Amino acid sequence: MRKRTTVIPLLALLALGLPTPATAQPNGTVTSGQARFQVLSPTLVRTEYAGDSRFENAATYNVVNRGFTPPSYTSRVTDGWLVITTSALTLRYRVGSGPFRADNLELKAGGTTASPWRRVVCATGQLCEAEDQAREGMLVQADHPGHTGSGFVAGFQYTNNGVTSTVRATAAGRHRVVVRYANGQGGDGKHENRTLGLSVDGQAPRQITLARGNDWNDWRTAEAEFDLAAGEHRVALTKNAGDSGNVNVDSIALLTAGQAYPSVKATDECRFGTSCDAENGVLSGAAKIADEHAGYAGTGFVAELVGGTKLVQRVTSVPSAGTYPVVLRYANGTGGDGKYEPRTVLVNGQQHTLPTTANWATWGTATLQVPLPAGSSDLTVTCPAAGCHVNLDTIGVNTSTQHLALGGYRRSLDGYNGDNGDPRLYPGLLYRDGWFMLDDTPSALRDGTLRANKGAQPYQDGYVFGYGQNYKTALGDLAALTGGPKLLPRWAYGVWYSEYIDRTAADFRDRILPAFRQNGVPLDVLVVDTDFKAHNLWNGWRMDQNKFPDPQGFLDWAHAEGLHSTLNIHPSIQGDDPDFAKAQATAKGKLAKTGTRDGVDNYSFDWGDPDQLRAYVELHGKMPTDFWWLDWCCDASGSSKRGVTPDTWINEQYAKMGAFAFSRGFGSLQAGGYSGGGALPTGPWAEKRTTLHFTGDTSTTWSTMKGTIAYTSNEGVSTGMSNISHDIGGHNDTTGIRGSEQYLDNGQLRWTTKMPDDMYARWVQLGAFQPITRLHSNHSDRLPWQYGAAANASATKFLNLRERLVPYLYSLAEQANRTGVPMVRPAYLEYPGSPEAYSTVDSQFLLGQDMLVAPITTPGTTASTRVWFPPGQWTDYFTGQVYQGNTWATVSAGLDTMPVFLRSGGVLVERTGNVTNDAQNKTDALTVHVTAGAKGEFSLYEDGGKKLSSRTRIVQDGDKVTVHPAKGWFPGKVSKRDWTVVVHNADGTTRTVKATAKSALQKLVVRI
């Protein structure tokens, strides 16, 4: 007994000097010291590091579900590494090595090796770039010269906007925290000294003054002193309630007494076997980080290396000394010296020639053999004295794989005309090399509260996706984790009429709707734009009694006609508004004056403050509608709520007030005092649960029309958002062609404008196959009968086709909600092994997996487009012509048709006849399109509210189509159904077979 009691303490003492072994738990969780891993699916692992060992189990604003069924996996510790392996990926973590970073956490998936976590810790004397650190409600911008790195964080406009840097004091003692900033005339119109709060390790903030500069190009420093222990600390620079903010911050540095502000930035290392972004290295000399040429990896590239330029990447984990391939991804166009020729670079002193590329937007790769020592060393790229004159994007060490985004999203396309450059997209979920890391660390908890303050202790919470080319699996994981895209009411997938022009209730009742009916054009949604408002057309909060004498009566009339309606809102209020006093009282006097409108003080809302949010929501009460269109957001309104972007927060409130939020998304237009489409952290993942994304005011051009083809697919695959609404026809006129209506503009009588007939017809054709078909303009004609005979007939035909497709589209929308795969998608979701599926995103798309749509976006009453047909067989929906897969064809169409194709094995369901709207017309007659001899099936989803739903399976097996009725509930208005099966033959002909199910619940077999 005495020997036994001696041995146990001895083993315990020995264990203190060893890394904590990994422990596996039956719920898919593996813990290794302060690191925790939760295996959620074969392609998804949660990685969490808590320096205080306090892990977070509550749902967050992004991550609403971790209740996955854990897959089979193995967990072991080998040579000091924890190794977790599923059927799709392997994750390795060096036991006891601290927070996740490039050299201690490795992912292998789909043949790719990656470092999912990038953690930049700034030691004493190093430059800490603000854009590399955690941000709260801040945009990264680069529009003022003189900044270091790739940009600066902009604005500090709202309470709780801030940036938090992780620093490391190399020794205990007195330290200076120095901030490099610019302070010009702010978005509030003031040019004065500003204040922010500076806090270390979560302690009470210390207010610092940032003196007024000459302008936004005048970069200065401010500092405060702190006594710090050796080790890591968190330095937070935040706009608190008592601070004025409205500054730009470039960088932060932790310095000792007398140390000059540094020029060398802190970086994370580049792991052997991975491809690393050049802009994350240490750059010296005249070269800059830029982002004006598309197609780069990461956040930008190093632009035009010249003589004296040096780029240093710290390479880690080289297994043994030897010569290894180093792959440079570069562009070599016409340089600043006017020459277009092969260029020479030096890598660790070794010369290499880089051939020319087609232009600066074309990226090439070059492979060098470079000797490297074992372990860690510097990889240095320099130029001869004459300069390299190339742009450098990535450096791959023992790998040629590039981490290139597929798709991308943006808050808005405002100002896009198709000819002013492609809008910058922000990467999301999908990458060509098959992995992604969703950093959920900054997200609030799902109840809106913040995570527990960790003080100086590090904390990381991220979800590693390793999907290879299984892109649909990745979207499914994302939907299960963060919630699927919202299933809108079925009527929302019909036809919308939206026009920025003064309309009255009488106009809608007596002129517009009768014209729809008389011309045989369906209509489901009426959009009432901003001119309906009393007091002020922009931000009034009552309906004008002269235009809408009975607001509830107008909505009741719309419902009686089978329509639904929305009202346009701008989120501010003027000081002389009749509802202002009550709103200010409800807000307890906290509504802030933010400039003037029409010479009157204008006030904005902080939606993160419960009193101001209550005041804002109550303003909507006098205006009955089905849902709200939060249009121009945000007139300086925003949200101080931490861990949730302003858009996400207010859109959720609108979804509670109506059927869904109809708004922009992913950030806030005024975030950081900047207008534009920039994205904010914590935005895209939660947004899709509540929001129909309105993409903003574009221009009426052929190029804009073409640009929206790729944008819809790109946003869908990068965020999981499926409900995306463009202005069909564009918002801003560019043609000057006189339209059909007159209107008053500040007392002057003007004419509306219109598009050329061919442009109008083609845009309506494209819109008929988008997630939402919303005809919209700024005082420009969008109705079929306002155009010539051919365009009128074309638009009428395709709007009726859209209405007939609503049952099919609603089924796709339900699939998107359930699986995460968007309605409109690029071909590579279904055909990831085909290179053409990636190169044709800007010219064609799939609607579901069975319909290929290739819109014509060039002028002419007859025009053509080049179409790539994915593997299989494809039949032209309109002409019956058959195309074999893995081929290209030039397809021509008059205004009465467009290139739309049905996949062999696909099943397309539509209403048999035209209807005026979806809400009032039961689906008692349906048509099924199939191809002769194929096999396939489709699930038709229908619901009736109150959680009642049904699925009718339609199965083709060669010459037989079987309708398997729903079990249980079925739409009450449908007692029996007439079925029409259209069989598309290989010779281009069709045959039609009709059958009737005496009961909607009867199984029906149709011989074809």
Side-chain angles (χ1 to χ4, degrees):
M1 290 295 294
R2 292 172 59 187
K3 182 178 291 187
R4 184 176 180 184
T5 57
T6 302
V7 169
I8 292 176
L10 179 59
L11 290 174
L13 288 171
L14 288 172
L16 291 175
L18 297 175
T20 305
T23 58
Q25 299 168 11
N27 61 355
T29 299
V30 180
T31 302
S32 178
Q34 286 74 45
R36 182 171 76 162
F37 304 88
Q38 291 178 280
V39 184
L40 302 177
S41 83
T43 51
L44 179 61
V45 179
R46 183 188 187 190
T47 59
E48 186 183 19
Y49 186 89
D52 59 0
S53 297
R54 292 162 55 200
F55 299 112
E56 181 59 68
N57 293 312
T60 70
Y61 220 88
N62 286 325
V63 176
V64 296
N65 171 51
R66 300 189 199 95
F68 289 65
T69 300
S72 297
Y73 71 96
T74 61
S75 172
R76 67 185 189 279
V77 175
T78 303
D79 297 329
W81 288 82
L82 168 64
V83 182
I84 298 172
T85 302
T86 72
S87 60
L89 61 78
T90 296
L91 200 67
R92 298 200 316 150
Y93 170 68
R94 185 182 291 120
V95 175
S97 60
F100 307 132
R101 54 186 188 272
D103 69 341
N104 73 352
L105 186 72
E106 174 190 85
L107 168 71
K108 289 183 180 293
T112 296
T113 300
S115 298
W117 277 98
R118 179 170 177 255
R119 185 171 190 261
V120 178
V121 180
C122 312
T124 304
Q126 287 184 319
L127 187 70
C128 198
E129 293 287 0
E131 64 269 23
D132 288 340
Q133 300 295 309
R135 307 187 309 276
E136 181 75 46
M138 306 290 290
L139 283 174
V140 174
Q141 294 289 339
D143 55 344
H144 297 301
H147 64 79
T148 58
S150 60
F152 52 88
V153 294
F156 289 89
Q157 185 176 358
Y158 301 115
T159 300
N160 292 326
N161 284 178
V163 58
T164 300
S165 299
T166 301
V167 300
R168 185 176 70 253
T170 53
R174 195 75 167 169
H175 286 77
R176 300 152 52 218
V177 175
V178 185
V179 178
R180 188 171 190 259
Y181 71 94
N183 178 8
Q185 182 172 325
D188 57 2
K190 299 177 182 179
H191 192 190
E192 61 186 16
N193 292 349
R194 304 287 191 168
T195 63
L196 289 174
L198 189 61
S199 173
V200 175
D201 296 336
Q203 298 175 3
R206 184 183 306 177
Q207 191 175 72
I208 62 170
T209 298
L210 309 174
R212 184 178 83 168
N214 296 320
D215 52 35
W216 290 111
N217 304 330
D218 182 9
W219 296 95
R220 303 186 174 198
T221 59
E223 62 182 73
E225 293 189 347
F226 294 87
D227 289 319
L228 299 177
E232 284 193 10
H233 301 273
R234 292 188 305 119
V235 175
L237 188 65
T238 307
K239 181 185 184 300
N240 297 301
D243 293 320
S244 54
N246 285 275
V247 293
N248 296 336
V249 170
D250 180 38
S251 53
I252 298 171
L254 184 66
L255 306 174
T256 57
Q259 272 189 307
Y261 201 80
S263 59
V264 177
K265 73 172 184 178
T267 65
D268 199 7
E269 296 178 325
C270 180
R271 183 175 178 79
F272 180 84
T274 67
S275 184
C276 301
D277 296 320
E279 69 271 18
N280 293 336
V282 177
L283 183 66
S284 59
K288 301 295 182 184
I289 297 172
D291 63 1
E292 70 266 28
H293 300 302
Y296 55 80
T299 58
F301 53 87
V302 174
E304 197 159 2
L305 296 164
V306 295
T309 296
K310 181 167 68 173
L311 175 66
V312 179
Q313 284 274 18
R314 185 71 175 171
V315 179
T316 185
S317 304
V318 178
S320 60
T323 299
Y324 296 96
V326 172
V327 179
L328 304 182
R329 187 171 192 258
Y330 72 96
N332 181 9
T334 302
D337 58 0
K339 299 178 181 179
Y340 179 55
E341 61 185 16
R343 305 287 190 165
T344 299
V345 297
L346 293 88
V347 179
N348 284 6
Q350 176 183 322
Q351 288 193 358
H352 193 87
T353 300
L354 302 180
T356 58
T357 57
N359 49 50
W360 289 114
T362 303
W363 299 94
T365 59
T367 302
L368 301 70
Q369 298 296 324
V370 179
L372 294 174
S376 299
S377 64
D378 287 342
L379 190 67
T380 304
V381 181
T382 56
C383 288
C388 307
H389 297 284
V390 294
N391 294 345
L392 190 59
D393 182 35
T394 64
I395 300 176
V397 185
N398 202 46
T399 183
S400 59
T401 301
Q402 304 290 331
H403 191 51
L404 299 175
L406 291 171
Y409 65 98
R410 184 176 177 83
R411 187 177 190 274
S412 77
L413 296 175
D414 290 294
Y416 178 55
N417 65 20
D419 300 314
N420 55 356
D422 293 330
R424 177 180 176 180
L425 301 184
Y426 295 84
L429 172 69
L430 294 191
Y431 283 79
R432 189 67 184 267
D433 60 344
W435 69 273
F436 173 67
M437 210 281 289
L438 191 165
D439 186 356
D440 197 44
T441 310
S443 177
L445 299 181
R446 185 66 187 94
D447 62 6
T449 63
L450 288 176
R451 301 180 192 232
N453 192 319
K454 299 286 186 177
Q457 294 293 335
Y459 182 77
Q460 298 166 293
D461 186 11
Y463 294 79
V464 175
F465 293 74
Y467 44 79
Q469 286 194 327
N470 295 320
Y471 305 131
K472 292 169 75 172
T473 296
L475 286 160
D477 281 343
L478 183 71
L481 187 70
T482 65
K486 186 174 181 63
L487 177 62
L488 307 181
R490 197 166 102 159
W491 46 260
Y493 298 101
V495 176
W496 296 40
Y497 170 62
S498 171
E499 188 173 6
Y500 176 31
I501 191 170
D502 197 355
R503 301 292 194 203
T504 67
D507 290 333
F508 286 119
R509 183 187 64 241
D510 300 335
R511 293 195 302 112
I512 294 172
L513 183 61
F516 271 90
R517 299 286 193 257
Q518 291 164 12
N519 287 278
V521 178
L523 181 64
D524 295 271
V525 181
L526 271 180
V527 179
V528 183
D529 213 321
T530 188
D531 285 355
F532 74 88
K533 296 165 186 166
H535 182 70
N536 185 278
L537 298 181
W538 181 265
N539 59 0
W541 288 95
R542 296 184 186 181
M543 299 183 77
D544 189 334
Q545 292 292 304
N546 294 317
K547 299 175 182 177
F548 292 83
D550 180 6
Q552 184 61 50
F554 171 74
L555 184 61
D556 293 342
W557 163 81
H559 290 169
E561 294 290 345
L563 305 177
H564 290 79
S565 182
T566 183
L567 299 177
N568 177 289
I569 290 298
H570 298 116
S572 60
I573 188 170
Q574 292 184 213
D576 63 350
D577 190 289
D579 293 303
F580 173 73
K582 183 176 186 302
Q584 184 68 290
T586 302
K588 298 180 181 177
K590 290 177 283 189
L591 299 185
K593 184 171 70 174
T594 51
T596 62
R597 182 177 294 280
D598 301 328
V600 179
D601 288 343
N602 201 53
Y603 290 78
S604 63
F605 298 82
D606 175 1
W607 297 313
D609 175 75
D611 298 319
Q612 295 184 61
L613 177 63
R614 187 179 308 109
Y616 182 74
V617 170
E618 288 178 357
L619 283 171
H620 297 69
K622 297 183 177 69
M623 301 179 292
T625 191
D626 292 302
F627 62 103
W628 302 94
W629 177 13
L630 181 59
D631 181 8
W632 180 264
C633 184
C634 299
D635 283 355
S637 290
S639 173
S640 60
K641 196 167 194 65
R642 300 188 61 187
V644 187
T645 63
D647 280 342
T648 300
W649 178 244
I650 195 59
N651 285 347
E652 184 173 58
Q653 311 315 309
Y654 271 109
K656 293 175 181 176
M657 294 161 60
F660 50 88
F662 176 34
S663 181
R664 291 168 173 84
F666 313 138
S668 174
L669 189 65
Q670 303 298 332
Y674 281 81
S675 176
L680 295 177
T682 76
W685 321 118
E687 209 76 54
K688 62 182 180 292
R689 300 194 298 257
T690 61
T691 306
L692 164 57
H693 185 203
F694 159 58
T695 59
D697 299 344
T698 57
S699 295
T700 301
T701 67
W702 287 102
S703 298
T704 299
M705 185 198 313
K706 186 178 189 303
T708 59
I709 294 174
Y711 184 84
T712 307
S713 293
N714 285 334
E715 182 176 320
V717 298
S718 60
T719 67
M721 178 81 80
S722 183
N723 301 309
I724 300 167
S725 176
H726 302 294
D727 291 351
I728 302 303
H731 182 76
N732 298 315
D733 174 67
T734 63
T735 67
I737 302 173
R738 180 166 155 172
S740 63
E741 288 191 68
Q742 288 185 297
Y743 64 95
L744 281 176
D745 179 17
N746 291 323
Q748 185 174 354
L749 195 62
R750 298 185 184 276
W751 286 93
T752 57
T753 57
K754 64 187 299 184
M755 289 181 273
D757 279 20
D758 54 350
M759 182 188 290
Y760 174 71
R762 297 302 187 191
W763 214 317
V764 172
Q765 289 177 2
L766 166 61
F769 297 95
Q770 289 291 287
I772 301 296
T773 299
R774 181 176 53 86
L775 305 173
H776 184 69
S777 75
N778 179 2
H779 297 80
S780 186
D781 294 352
R782 291 294 180 267
L783 299 172
W785 53 90
Q786 295 169 327
Y787 287 83
N792 180 358
S794 174
T796 300
K797 174 180 179 177
F798 278 89
L799 292 173
N800 274 295
L801 173 58
R802 171 67 183 207
E803 195 69 38
R804 294 201 308 273
L805 287 173
V806 166
Y808 176 74
L809 296 166
Y810 193 55
S811 298
L812 295 183
E814 189 276 333
Q815 288 178 20
N817 171 262
R818 184 166 34 86
T819 68
V821 181
M823 300 166 65
V824 168
R825 62 192 73 163
Y828 57 73
L829 282 196
E830 306 292 344
Y831 308 96
S834 298
E836 297 87 349
Y838 302 85
S839 64
T840 55
V841 175
D842 62 347
S843 61
Q844 60 190 61
F845 57 87
L846 295 171
L847 182 61
Q849 66 176 356
D850 295 335
M851 292 187 75
L852 174 65
V853 183
I856 289 177
T857 57
T858 52
T861 55
T862 297
S864 61
T865 188
R866 186 85 168 147
V867 181
W868 172 72
F869 294 95
Q873 179 180 293
W874 298 84
T875 300
D876 191 309
Y877 173 87
F878 294 101
T879 70
Q881 184 169 346
V882 176
Y883 298 86
Q884 296 304 314
N886 279 321
T887 62
W888 290 83
T890 298
V891 181
S892 298
L895 295 185
D896 60 333
T897 64
M898 72 178 291
V900 177
F901 310 92
L902 177 65
R903 181 179 65 85
S904 180
V907 177
L908 174 64
V909 183
E910 61 181 75
R911 288 180 180 270
T912 299
N914 295 339
V915 293
T916 55
N917 58 61
D918 183 72
Q920 292 180 321
N921 292 276
K922 56 187 179 181
T923 52
D924 55 358
L926 293 175
T927 293
V928 179
H929 292 262
V930 297
T931 52
K935 290 187 176 183
E937 71 174 80
F938 182 76
S939 178
L940 180 68
Y941 176 83
E942 298 168 280
D943 60 33
K946 299 180 181 179
K947 299 182 180 180
L948 297 174
S949 64
S950 67
R951 300 180 197 278
T952 300
R953 284 180 59 237
I954 304 166
V955 180
Q956 180 193 6
D957 187 359
D959 63 354
K960 181 176 65 175
V961 172
T962 305
V963 178
H964 298 272
K967 296 179 180 179
W969 177 87
F970 202 79
K973 294 180 180 179
V974 180
S975 58
K976 66 183 185 68
R977 265 189 173 149
D978 294 327
W979 292 89
T980 300
V981 180
V982 177
V983 184
H984 295 265
N985 299 313
D987 61 1
T989 62
T990 61
R991 63 182 187 273
T992 301
V993 180
K994 295 186 177 182
T996 298
K998 295 180 180 179
S999 166
L1001 296 175
Q1002 173 192 355
K1003 179 180 177 179
L1004 186 67
V1005 179
V1006 182
R1007 296 287 177 180
I1008 59 173

